Amino acid sequence: MFFVDTIEVSGLGNRSYLAGGERTAVVIDPPRDVDQVIEAAARRGVRISHVAETHVHNDYVTGGLELARVTGAAYLVPAAARVSFGRVPVDDGDRTAIDPGAGLVLRALATPGHTPHHTSYVLEENGTAVAAFTGGSLLIGTVGRPDLVEPRLTEHLARAQHASAHRLASELPDETAVLPTHGFGSFCSSSQAEGGETTIGKEKVSNEALTRDVDTFVADLLAGLDDVPAYYTHMGPANAAGPAPVDLTPPAVADADEIAARLAAGEWVVDLRNRVAFAEGHVAGSFNFEAEGQLATYLAWLIPWGKPVTLLADSPDRLAAAQRELVRVGIDRPAAAATGGPADRVRESETPASFPRGTFADLAGRAADVVVLDVRRASERSDGYVEGSVHIPIHTLPRRIHEVPEGEVWVHCAGGMRAAIAASLLDAAGRDVVAVDDSFEAAEKAGLDLRIP
């Protein structure tokens, strides 16, 4: 008998896997905070004998090297990947015994496309394929992006993705479970997965890489590629060099004076509370990145790389969870932190700042008199936008705030989370701002004039 346990890394839209038999197991594409993986193995009562990477990741810092060191496991990395640490190089067709007593073997299949060296791993039980760990190759209904390595390679890698998908579909039985790393919110996916489970057979009838000819598939894939988070630039080199172990101990505690001093020095102070609480009261100059949202993705995307960050949370548990998310994208140690409410974080002579929130119905009565700022990505705006609105995607706003016209700014996104980030940036810059905390679907119902490109 075999098992496969999924380890969700929901903040980044990824998954890792623990798979094995009664005694030993392999971990595929582990997150950087490896303690949760070790705990999963302990619950199963198995020893981690192998750790395998499908590729050198572009969207997060791997925990593979550290997990292999801590557990004594063999570290399987595609042979063609250029890395600076010792590992077991894996070539196409290599077979690795995972749990001999259970008849479990891991077979490597070269599936280039997401990266040139990308490798999938097929788990076989007594010679029969039961699961395919496809990393950034064949995803649920889509494939991994081919444009994260080198612009000149993008079309070549897109064609390789098509070929790799067909290789998996032709060599594996229809009932084989497809277990990708990306596709659940990660920007490493060329589009987002629908549903959480799939098989080779299901992908044959639903995945565009398997239902379209290569030229049509590549043209549509390249036309649909979205923005790339800025921090991706730093992930590949960090993974190739060999990430350092993480330190999740609590940061130094900052009082109100230190928070003020860090703001004055140009450092980032990030409030992790929900957007409603932040709008009602916060330290002037602080930014709002909700802990419940895609904290790691958007904070790492917007912050100047290496800028010291102080975290403000409503509880120690919230702070600890945020630290865990941030180390996954290379923001290793907050400069300082504080817990409690905004009244605890401002100096005695000061009061918390605030700004109003509104809905699209509220905006409908004011649209002609205010600046409407749309911070969605270009791909989202192409489906429709408020007539006369200014478009500055959220990930470009920190360097483009000066482009926001004078006047009261009503800022919106698709649902409210990114609008809250943008509103906090504008508020910190001294602008009069209203955060539209509403679904964009409500804009037309509210009577706003929408333009469809």
Side-chain angles (χ1 to χ4, degrees):
M1 290 293 293
F2 73 95
F3 71 87
V4 177
D5 289 342
T6 300
I7 299 169
E8 297 282 356
V9 190
S10 55
L12 295 177
N14 285 328
R15 288 178 177 177
S16 297
Y17 301 94
L18 173 73
E22 293 184 358
R23 296 171 180 252
T24 51
V26 60
V27 179
I28 310 290
D29 291 345
R32 194 176 182 199
D33 48 323
V34 299
D35 56 335
Q36 62 174 321
V37 181
I38 294 170
E39 290 170 3
R43 287 193 295 270
R44 280 284 184 180
V46 295
R47 177 176 62 86
I48 297 173
S49 60
H50 295 79
V51 177
E53 302 282 10
T54 57
H55 60 293
V56 175
H57 305 281
N58 288 294
D59 62 330
Y60 68 93
V61 181
T62 181
L65 184 62
E66 175 65 3
L67 182 60
R69 185 189 69 81
V70 170
T71 63
Y75 191 23
L76 311 181
V77 178
R82 296 180 179 178
V83 296
S84 302
F85 48 83
R87 87 286 195 202
V88 177
V90 177
D91 288 300
D92 184 41
D94 284 356
R95 304 171 70 85
T96 303
I98 300 302
D99 191 321
L104 296 178
V105 171
L106 201 66
R107 177 164 58 96
L109 265 68
T111 48
H114 188 46
T115 66
H117 61 265
H118 190 283
T119 300
S120 297
Y121 298 94
V122 178
L123 183 66
E124 297 178 344
E125 183 183 38
N126 297 319
T128 299
V130 292
F133 301 101
T134 55
S137 183
L138 186 67
L139 311 185
I140 301 179
T142 184
V143 295
R145 296 178 69 145
D147 62 327
L148 302 179
V149 177
E150 157 62 55
R152 290 172 294 182
L153 293 178
T154 297
E155 182 174 349
H156 169 76
L157 290 176
R159 292 181 178 276
Q161 279 290 51
H162 187 271
S164 292
H166 279 263
R167 181 185 185 190
L168 288 163
S170 65
E171 293 191 15
L172 300 177
D174 283 356
E175 60 271 20
T176 307
V178 175
L179 302 171
T181 300
H182 305 313
F184 311 96
S186 168
F187 281 84
C188 264
S189 174
S190 59
S191 62
Q192 295 313 308
E194 295 185 4
E197 297 180 359
T198 192
T199 63
I200 289 292
K202 291 178 181 178
E203 292 306 303
K204 283 182 177 179
V205 299
S206 63
N207 195 304
E208 293 182 351
L210 298 173
T211 60
R212 296 187 175 189
D213 67 87
V214 63
D215 290 333
T216 302
F217 167 77
V218 169
D220 289 347
L221 177 62
L222 298 184
L225 292 173
D226 212 333
D227 299 309
V228 179
Y231 71 91
Y232 278 25
T233 301
H234 306 281
M235 299 297 97
N239 287 324
V246 299
D247 179 2
L248 292 175
T249 59
V253 176
D255 60 16
D257 288 334
E258 182 177 349
I259 291 171
R262 289 188 177 279
L263 284 167
E267 298 181 10
W268 277 38
V269 174
V270 171
D271 193 321
L272 302 168
R273 293 176 300 148
N274 70 70
R275 56 185 180 264
V276 176
F278 182 87
E280 291 175 348
H282 55 269
V283 176
S286 62
F287 304 141
N288 182 213
F289 289 79
E290 289 184 309
E292 298 93 338
Q294 290 179 286
L295 168 66
T297 295
Y298 282 100
L299 180 54
W301 198 340
L302 270 65
I303 193 171
W305 199 250
K307 174 81 73 173
V309 59
T310 295
L311 300 178
L312 309 180
D314 52 9
S315 71
D317 287 346
R318 184 79 73 190
L319 175 61
Q323 274 188 263
R324 182 176 291 273
E325 280 202 51
L326 294 178
V327 299
R328 294 170 180 163
V329 293
I331 300 178
D332 282 11
R333 289 296 297 168
T339 57
D344 304 317
R345 302 166 183 163
V346 298
R347 294 175 292 191
E348 290 186 6
S349 60
E350 300 170 338
T351 58
S354 64
F355 54 77
R357 297 162 49 249
T359 64
F360 280 109
D362 299 326
L363 176 59
R366 299 286 312 280
D369 306 316
V370 301
V371 177
V372 180
L373 176 62
D374 182 349
V375 297
R376 296 174 300 161
R377 297 186 301 279
S379 59
E380 298 171 282
R381 187 172 168 90
S382 66
D383 291 331
Y385 59 88
V386 176
E387 181 72 34
S389 60
V390 176
H391 181 224
I392 303 179
I394 183 65
H395 59 276
T396 69
L397 186 59
R399 65 177 185 272
R400 297 178 60 189
I401 281 185
H402 64 281
E403 298 179 25
V404 181
E406 294 297 319
E408 184 177 87
V409 183
W410 286 58
V411 58
H412 79 84
C413 60
M417 184 268 290
R418 287 171 293 172
I421 296 173
S424 71
L425 296 172
L426 290 161
D427 177 67
R431 299 298 302 270
D432 291 329
V433 64
V434 178
V436 178
D437 194 356
D438 202 358
S439 168
F440 188 72
E441 296 175 354
E444 185 174 13
K445 297 176 183 177
L448 284 162
D449 186 11
L450 297 189
R451 179 87 177 262
I452 307 297

